[in-house]
Amino acid sequence: MNGWSAETADATEMHPLEELRDSALADVAAATDESALDAVRVRYLGRSGSIAAWGEQMKSLSKEEKPVVGKLLNQVRSAVTSALGEAGEKLRAAKESGALAATDISLPGTPDDIGALHPLTQMLDRAIGIFRRMGFALAEGPDVEDEWHCFDALNTAPDHPARNEQDTFFLPDGRLLRTHTSTVQIRTMESAPPPIRVIAPGAAFRRDEVDATHSAQFHQIEGLYVDQRVSVADLKGTLEYFLRELFGPDTAVRFRPHYFPFTEPSFEIDVKSRALKSGEKWIEVCGCGMVHPAVYEEVNRARSDTAYDPEKWTGFAFGLGMDRLAMILFGIPDIRLFAQNDLRFLGQFAG
Ligand code: PHE
């Protein structure tokens, strides 16, 4: 074995294993990337590498030499192994910081475009918030209705113009698209006894000529309040509060006498505020009134009880035009914008 033996070696002479170690360490130091380092690893530590070959040769050593060379071999193996490990770490770290250097972390990030709520939804959220604070619960009913819920139960005569094919979308089976959300008044009273305090936002449908202020589908917020000794003063107080919360404390609110078959007396409400785009103009936003006794009677018939005794219970109902409210609130000139999905329009209500 290279003429070296434990007995004859003098202290300054290098054992070939030590030479092997030094050349391994030099190769490790010279490796400039991970694949070069891998080649070094295979060359020295691989199964047919030079250190393994020394392991094989151990068998042929004498009893005296074995422990000395064995110890040396172990030291060489662990020196080379740890040098390989350290060099690998260094190369990986260098690679990572190189990748980071190519990235300018001071550049602004790419914003996440998560969109925004539709202006009608924003309007709805505000309205619901205000009514919630006054203790109103949410109610709902179907868009496709029967004539009874839309008209008969609401004291609307068979010859009323709203029941005409010209005004209302009828389905072939005789059902219809509800012309107002007042259907939910009936459905709520059918399913629960008084007292009642609900709002019901939703879509309504009419065969209107479409223009800047009319659409075949629009949205309303229905309200119904039934309790003992409810008066017109409660109706006025509730709606004035709502409208001033929505449009600002300086909003003027006007009640005009009107007619609806299902309320008596009935009113239409106009608002005006200099803070709004509409400025000095009165704008109609709501139909309302005290629930007609005939409606209670019809509900009682449907319930087969007398839960809604008109002698005992009184109440008010209202229907707010939600598209109209949003148009006033946001200064939107054309109702058709709500349904056209134009991002130039919708984007103005983001953030
Ligand atoms: N339903 C009526 C409409 O659509 C509004 C209304 C609701 C009037 C409730 C009185 C009471 O015009």
Side-chain angles (χ1 to χ4, degrees), residues 180 182 185 206 220 222 260 262-263 287-289 317-319:
H180 52 184
S182 298
Q185 290 184 38
R206 289 180 200 170
Q220 297 185 316
E222 192 75 15
F260 296 105
F262 38 94
T263 47
C288 59
F318 56 86

Side-chain angles (χ1 to χ4, degrees), residues 114-179:
I114 57 164
L117 293 177
H118 190 279
L120 274 178
T121 308
Q122 294 185 25
M123 165 67 231
L124 178 62
D125 286 350
R126 284 210 212 182
I128 290 176
I130 298 168
F131 281 117
R132 276 240 125 110
R133 291 202 291 281
M134 289 192 274
F136 283 80
L138 280 172
E140 60 179 5
D143 290 357
V144 177
E145 263 294 5
D146 52 57
E147 278 203 71
W148 186 78
H149 283 95
C150 201
F151 300 123
D152 302 279
L154 287 160
N155 196 35
T156 305
D159 60 352
H160 192 279
R163 308 182 72 143
N164 196 302
E165 294 262 349
Q166 235 85 77
D167 292 315
T168 300
F169 295 105
F170 279 92
L171 276 69
D173 64 5
R175 289 182 303 163
L176 49 81
L177 299 184
R178 67 180 179 193
T179 57

Side-chain angles (χ1 to χ4, degrees), residues 205-247:
F205 308 84
R206 289 180 200 170
R207 275 186 113 110
D208 272 330
E209 200 72 58
V210 175
D211 61 25
T213 55
H214 295 86
S215 164
Q217 178 186 335
F218 56 102
H219 304 84
Q220 297 185 316
I221 302 174
E222 192 75 15
L224 176 67
Y225 192 138
V226 182
D227 207 331
Q228 284 169 334
R229 290 183 293 279
V230 177
S231 72
V232 174
D234 299 309
L235 162 65
K236 286 192 73 176
T238 302
L239 288 168
E240 279 179 1
Y241 174 81
F242 170 77
L243 292 166
R244 295 209 171 102
E245 281 289 293
L246 189 64
F247 294 128

